Amino acid sequence: PEHIGQLVDIIVKYHWKSFDNNSSLTIPIKSQVQLPKELEIILFEGSVINMAGTFEVEFGYQTNNEEFIGKIAQLEIKPNRPPTAIELDINNDEKLIGTFNTIDSDNADRFIYSLTNSNRYFRIIDNELYVTSLMPRFKDIKLVNDESFDNIYPIEVQTTDISGAYITKQFIIQITPIINPPLINLTKQSVLENYQGIVGRIWTDGAEFKLLANENFSLDDQGILRTKRPLDFEINPSYNIIIKEIQSIKEKIFTIDVINVPDVDVHGKIFNNITDFIKISANDLKAVTIQFIPDITHRNQEADILAVAAYTVDQQTRFLVRNNDTWQTWDRFTLPKFTHLILEDEHEIALFNSAQFTAGELQVYIGYRLDNKELIYNPNPITIEINN
């Protein structure tokens, strides 16, 4: 009591001896304070990693002439022991399918779980296993011990304790998928008025199918649906087809809508001579211009000008589309513009300003697309016979 209020050195001494008795360490800590009646200090804070062994703690104070110190605590810190096993409890749930648990001799140890193999079908959050959207829909899920089973998904999981010790284990997860009956699908269910060609593609989940007798459409062995003849919107704005699965009585009716296309006058012009058939040498082809007259209701509107050609050489036909200043192979779906303008009473367009064509036959179709995506074209082509 006679030292209370005096300036003294507070002393804490840590005496550590390793768990295997091979090393030891003494750490004295001093701090000068005015001695109070009561004093509280923190002896340990944080994690003591790689310091397994016995700690003896001495605590007291020192005046100028005398030291007052004694042993106040003895602690035993056991070395970390690695995990020994990982368990997975399966939940038959749509997304959260399981919970991990680690067997470890160290009480109150904490663990981090991770997938060690690249896996698109699962993810781990904390100690919970989830399936991703890539996993097929299933009605049951379980753990199995044989990779030869059907519908199995092996995963390798690592559990790591707070000191960095870890183990890995493989789990084999098997699902019972939900199998839906085959569906009959059609990729496109509309066609432009007067168009003759591909409508779309029929596909199913593996089932064979056929088109029931139809005077307007045909179906080839690749599932490609085509028009047999140009369809007139004014006669019929839509047509039904029936697709039947060959091995069952299942049928599906599709309605093919015909998109109305306003008429537009289109004709060829060479040296001011208007004709629907042109016979010309390859060298003179670039002198050909196409004259077209837009629909009167579309005058003064902005439009993309479009051009498509069927190019036949030696009975082999390629379909081309004008894209900016070149002719390119046409995929039969996209329609790039080659120019953009404001529609007037009539226009003359040069389409062949480069010598890309040799002897053969060109059937050229021209039209325009308004800003509202309405497409106007003439189904009757300009035929150009090119000779040498």
Side-chain angles (χ1 to χ4, degrees), residues 2-106:
E2 69 270 17
H3 298 137
I4 294 173
Q6 295 184 21
L7 196 63
V8 300
D9 288 326
I10 301 299
I11 301 174
V12 181
K13 291 183 180 180
Y14 296 91
H15 304 284
W16 171 74
K17 183 179 289 186
S18 67
F19 195 81
D20 54 10
N21 293 318
N22 287 332
S23 57
S24 62
L25 181 66
T26 297
I27 307 173
I29 300 173
K30 291 184 179 182
S31 62
Q32 197 170 61
V33 299
Q34 192 173 20
L35 187 65
K37 289 183 178 181
E38 294 181 359
L39 179 65
E40 182 178 300
I41 67 169
I42 298 174
L43 295 178
F44 293 94
E45 188 173 27
S47 300
V48 183
I49 297 177
N50 300 323
M51 294 288 285
T54 303
F55 280 87
E56 290 183 354
V57 184
E58 291 183 275
F59 176 66
Y61 65 94
Q62 180 180 349
T63 66
N64 291 332
N65 301 315
E66 192 174 1
E67 185 179 88
F68 301 88
I69 189 169
K71 186 172 73 172
I72 63 169
Q74 180 170 323
L75 304 173
E76 184 180 71
I77 300 176
K78 295 181 180 179
N80 177 69
R81 287 165 290 186
T84 56
I86 312 175
E87 297 176 341
L88 174 58
D89 295 327
I90 289 293
N91 306 318
N92 204 337
D93 192 86
E94 185 176 356
K95 295 296 181 182
L96 170 60
I97 63 164
T99 304
F100 292 108
N101 181 50
T102 298
I103 306 301
D104 194 310
S105 299
D106 299 322

Side-chain angles (χ1 to χ4, degrees), residues 266 276 285 288 290 306-311 320 322 327 351-352 357 361-367 378-384:
V266 182
D276 289 331
L285 183 61
V288 175
I290 303 296
L306 317 172
V308 173
Y311 181 40
L320 308 171
R322 179 78 173 190
W327 287 94
L351 295 178
F352 310 103
F357 302 97
E361 182 182 272
L362 275 169
Q363 289 189 311
V364 183
Y365 301 80
I366 193 167
N378 190 335
N380 300 314
I382 304 154
T383 299
I384 303 175

Side-chain angles (χ1 to χ4, degrees), residues 232-273:
D232 192 330
F233 176 86
E234 282 70 32
I235 295 177
N236 198 341
S238 63
Y239 295 81
N240 288 336
I241 63 170
I242 300 175
I243 304 296
K244 182 182 184 301
E245 287 187 11
I246 294 176
Q247 302 299 326
S248 71
I249 60 171
K250 187 176 181 179
E251 296 178 350
K252 185 167 182 179
I253 299 175
F254 292 100
T255 299
I256 311 299
D257 295 320
V258 179
I259 300 173
N260 188 27
V261 177
D263 293 332
V264 57
D265 294 327
V266 182
H267 41 261
K269 181 179 181 182
I270 181 171
F271 303 118
N272 296 319
N273 294 321

Side-chain angles (χ1 to χ4, degrees), residues 282-283 285-287 322 325-327 350-357:
N283 292 333
L285 183 61
K286 58 186 176 182
R322 179 78 173 190
D325 58 352
T326 60
W327 287 94
L351 295 178
F352 310 103
N353 51 7
S354 60
Q356 295 179 249
F357 302 97

Side-chain angles (χ1 to χ4, degrees), residues 87-146:
E87 297 176 341
L88 174 58
D89 295 327
I90 289 293
N91 306 318
N92 204 337
D93 192 86
E94 185 176 356
K95 295 296 181 182
L96 170 60
I97 63 164
T99 304
F100 292 108
N101 181 50
T102 298
I103 306 301
D104 194 310
S105 299
D106 299 322
N107 294 329
D109 215 341
R110 289 178 293 171
F111 305 95
I112 298 174
Y113 299 91
S114 58
L115 291 167
T116 61
N117 57 338
S118 178
N119 201 299
R120 301 180 303 157
Y121 300 101
F122 301 92
R123 62 190 178 100
I124 294 176
I125 300 176
D126 295 330
N127 67 328
E128 295 177 333
L129 182 65
Y130 292 83
V131 293
T132 69
S133 58
L134 297 177
M135 175 67 75
R137 294 182 61 215
F138 57 86
K139 57 185 177 182
D140 186 38
I141 189 166
K142 61 184 178 181
L143 289 177
V144 295
N145 56 11
D146 192 339

